[in-house]
Amino acid sequence: MGEPYLLTPGPLTTAAEVKEAMQRDWGSWDGDFRAMTAEMNRRLLAMAGATRDAWTCVPMQGSGSFAVEAMLGSLVPRDGKVLVLANGAYGQRAAQTLRYLGRAHQVINKGDYLPPRGPEVAAALDADPAITHVVAIHCETSSGILNPIEEIAEVVAARGRKLLIDSMSAFGAIPLEVGAIEFEALVSSANKCIEGVPGFGFVIARKAALEAAAGNSHSLALDLHAQWAHMEKTGQWRYTPPTHVVAAFLKALEMHAAEGGVAARGARYFDNRDVMVAGMRAQGFETLLADRWLSPIIVTFFNPADPAFEFDRFYELMKAEGFIIYPGKLTVVDSFRIGCIGRMDAAVMRRAVAAVARALKVMGVTDAAPPPKALEERARLAA
């Protein structure tokens, strides 16, 4: 359709059918739209393997960070304490959110290269009985790490604490089911692995947790309990919903199911990643992470040391070839990121790799290897 591919972790490239679904207006109070909301919630609960007697899905207007804040501000009581597991920007954002909310918290900060592991989480929980909740990022897209959520969930449950999972960039492609992993709630967004468009997030939570959350929230608009209670009573969102986005998301959910659900969606993304990483490494690029932690969502590469490489020029050359990439978020060494999700397959990733080669040639870059300090930093911090 003449649009560039978005090699990003969301917003991402969407199907023509998803775009087409937004070409009709809906009344937010109308029975047809209420039925759309109910069907969306039903499908999301089914994706999480959750039954409606014990679990519920609550959509929340805004970006994913709105939904994360709604979850934290509503499900963590004001006298609770949170252990935040951070290894990138989104773990740090969770901690920043808790500071704004005035919730007691502490952080295990693993840097950019490594995930939090079960034993260190267990040690932190054993050392501080005041901790009531643990926040874990399923896929940390600032680096591309896929965190070991099953391992984390096991030690949290064994110590009687409650796990809140930010699965913003993983839900829908990486299995996360209530029967396999014990958690209190997860949060995700319309414009990630289900391949909808931006406009709302959603929280899948235990009903018991929501029932206990009345009066916790710091915010009128982000009160997850109030949103849930209103939907239970009326079938409507409390405030104006993104009607066109919901319509697009329903189409995306239909296409997700038709593709084969979570397993098939994840398999396509893993294939995208493997093709892209192999092609980039063949040109001399180095990944930030070791293979065992590479997610199928987005991959971080070190910038080449070649003085002819300039990221802004590289970005524009890639855009001219029809690919939008992301700058890096590392603090010590320069990097960029290439996403693997969205409406694209391995053939598109091969085209992207070829576009990288042409961009380097235009720039006069003869060696894509990173500077020695990047490799030294990786060796030091990833040990």
Side-chain angles (χ1 to χ4, degrees):
M1 297 177 68
E3 301 175 5
Y5 284 99
L6 301 182
L7 303 183
T8 69
L12 39 70
T13 297
T14 56
E17 296 92 331
V18 171
K19 298 178 180 70
E20 180 64 27
M22 293 188 285
Q23 300 306 307
R24 174 180 168 178
D25 298 325
W26 300 89
S28 61
W29 44 264
D30 185 72
D32 289 343
F33 185 74
R34 291 200 302 264
M36 291 164 61
T37 297
E39 175 65 10
M40 175 183 75
N41 290 344
R42 183 192 68 78
R43 285 177 175 265
L44 288 170
L45 284 173
M47 196 177 296
T51 57
R52 296 185 65 183
D53 59 329
W55 294 81
T56 190
C57 179
V58 187
M60 180 63 66
Q61 300 94 318
S63 73
S65 292
F66 284 54
V68 171
E69 183 169 328
M71 178 180 74
L72 296 178
S74 300
L75 298 187
V76 178
R78 300 191 184 204
D79 60 353
K81 184 174 183 180
V82 182
L83 176 64
V84 179
L85 310 181
N87 56 341
Y90 294 97
Q92 296 294 347
R93 185 177 297 178
Q96 182 183 24
T97 302
L98 290 164
R99 285 195 294 274
Y100 269 75
L101 300 181
R103 300 297 197 271
H105 63 281
Q106 67 185 63
V107 180
I108 293 178
N109 185 3
K110 298 292 291 182
D112 295 316
Y113 294 83
L114 291 172
R117 303 305 304 269
E120 60 194 326
V121 176
L125 295 177
D126 291 342
D128 190 349
I131 294 172
T132 57
H133 293 72
V134 176
V135 172
I137 312 301
H138 198 173
C139 178
E140 177 50 76
T141 56
S142 61
S143 61
I145 294 179
L146 185 61
N147 285 316
I149 206 72
E150 296 90 348
E151 177 182 312
I152 293 165
E154 183 177 348
V155 300
V156 173
R159 285 154 180 78
R161 316 302 171 84
K162 297 174 180 178
L163 178 63
L164 305 175
I165 303 174
D166 177 345
S167 191
M168 199 62 57
S169 299
F171 186 73
I174 307 298
L176 184 56
E177 295 192 2
V178 302
I181 301 173
E182 187 168 341
F183 59 91
E184 194 81 347
L186 71 83
V187 60
S188 192
S189 178
N191 59 296
K192 302 292 186 177
C193 295
I194 300 172
E195 297 183 0
V197 300
F200 72 91
F202 53 88
V203 179
I204 295 175
R206 295 181 187 272
K207 284 186 176 179
L210 277 172
E211 289 165 352
N216 282 348
S217 182
H218 60 295
S219 167
L220 173 66
L222 297 180
D223 188 335
L224 199 66
H225 174 272
Q227 179 92 321
W228 170 65
H230 187 79
M231 282 190 168
E232 287 287 295
K233 181 178 180 180
T234 69
Q236 300 178 32
W237 304 51
R238 276 193 306 156
Y239 306 123
T240 303
T243 53
H244 301 82
V245 176
V246 172
F249 190 65
L250 274 173
K251 175 55 67 174
L253 283 167
E254 292 175 12
M255 298 181 73
H256 184 276
E259 185 174 356
V262 173
R265 183 62 54 90
R268 175 159 60 86
Y269 290 170
F270 273 106
D271 195 28
N272 288 350
R273 181 203 66 185
D274 292 346
V275 167
M276 183 264 292
V277 169
M280 294 292 286
R281 285 175 172 167
Q283 298 182 49
F285 285 98
E286 290 271 357
T287 58
L288 169 74
L289 303 173
D291 286 356
R292 68 180 301 196
W293 304 123
L294 287 177
S295 79
I297 309 302
I298 195 166
V299 178
T300 297
F301 295 92
F302 294 120
N303 284 6
D306 192 316
F309 183 87
E310 297 178 6
F311 176 76
D312 290 345
R313 175 68 172 144
F314 179 60
Y315 179 94
E316 292 301 329
L317 288 169
M318 290 296 292
K319 184 176 179 180
E321 291 264 10
F323 299 100
I324 302 292
I325 61 174
Y326 255 27
K329 281 194 173 184
L330 307 184
T331 56
V332 178
V333 294
D334 293 328
S335 63
F336 63 92
R337 296 175 290 163
I338 297 181
C340 314
I341 66 177
R343 204 65 185 172
M344 55 194 184
D345 58 14
V348 173
M349 302 311 289
R350 282 189 283 270
R351 287 168 51 192
V353 169
V356 169
R358 288 190 292 271
L360 296 184
K361 185 175 181 180
V362 169
M363 297 172 70
V365 175
T366 59
D367 184 358
K373 72 172 184 178
L375 299 181
E376 293 166 4
E377 179 79 0
R378 184 177 65 181
R380 182 175 66 86
L381 296 179

